[in-house]
Amino acid sequence: MYRHILIPTDGSELAEHGVAHGLALAKSLGAKVSVIFVVEPLSEMRRGSPFLEALAKYAELRKEQATSVLDRAANAAKEAGVSCKTIQVENGQPHQAIIAAAEDRGCDLIVMSSHGRSGLSALLIGSVTNRVLTHAKTPVLVCP
C-alpha cells in the first residue's frame, strides 16, 4: 500500500509522537521513511539590529536541534528495522518544504502530528499541519 512515508517533525513532544507512529506504520507495511525538520530562516532582520546577535544564536541553536532530532529519529528507525533518510531544510514556509519533499522524494504518505510547539510559525502563521492538509496532493495521516 504505502512504500515511502514522509514524517515531518519540529522536535516537540507531540511531533515525536508522530515520528513514533510513522515509524511503527512503516515497519508494519515494510515501507521506508524520510524524516524532515524544517528550520525557518530569520531573514527579515536588518544589519545593526540590537537583536541580530541573539537571533543568529537562536538560528544556530535551531539547526543544532534539527540535527539532534533527526539523529534520534534515524536511530529509532534503525532499531525498528526501517530504512530511513533524514532531511534538514531551511524554508520560511514549513508546509511548502514538507509538500515539496514529499513530491521530490516520491513519498506516498505524510504522517505528522496534529500540531507542533516550536518555531516561529507556531507563533505567527498558525498550524503547519492544517496547511499541509489543505495543499498537499499526497495523502496525510494526522496523529493526535
Side-chain angles (χ1 to χ4, degrees):
M1 180 173 217
Y2 297 112
R3 306 305 306 156
H4 189 179
I5 300 171
L6 181 69
I7 308 172
T9 184
D10 64 3
S12 66
E13 184 177 332
L14 195 58
E16 293 303 304
H17 177 71
V19 171
H21 189 84
L23 290 176
L25 180 61
K27 181 176 182 170
S28 71
L29 296 173
K32 62 183 178 179
V33 300
S34 292
V35 181
I36 185 171
F37 191 114
V38 181
V39 178
E40 297 171 72
L42 299 172
S43 59
E44 295 79 30
M45 295 309 296
R46 297 186 180 142
R47 289 180 181 221
S49 168
F51 303 108
L52 190 58
E53 187 175 325
L55 288 172
K57 181 67 175 167
Y58 172 77
E60 188 59 35
L61 289 172
R62 282 293 286 165
K63 288 177 184 175
E64 290 172 10
Q65 179 190 21
T67 299
S68 175
V69 167
L70 292 172
D71 286 347
R72 281 197 315 268
N75 288 335
K78 184 177 180 180
E79 288 177 16
V82 174
S83 174
C84 177
K85 296 201 183 228
T86 60
I87 309 159
Q88 182 175 331
V89 63
E90 191 169 308
N91 190 311
Q93 298 292 323
H95 74 283
Q96 290 176 354
I98 292 165
I99 292 167
E103 292 172 358
D104 294 346
R105 297 179 191 291
C107 297
D108 47 15
L109 180 66
I110 300 170
V111 175
M112 61 192 304
S113 64
S114 57
H115 58 284
R117 299 270 187 225
S118 60
L120 294 177
S121 65
L123 299 173
L124 302 175
I125 64 170
S127 173
V128 172
T129 303
N130 188 51
R131 289 176 184 232
V132 171
L133 283 167
T134 303
H135 299 288
K137 294 178 181 152
T138 305
V140 181
L141 174 63
V142 179
C143 306

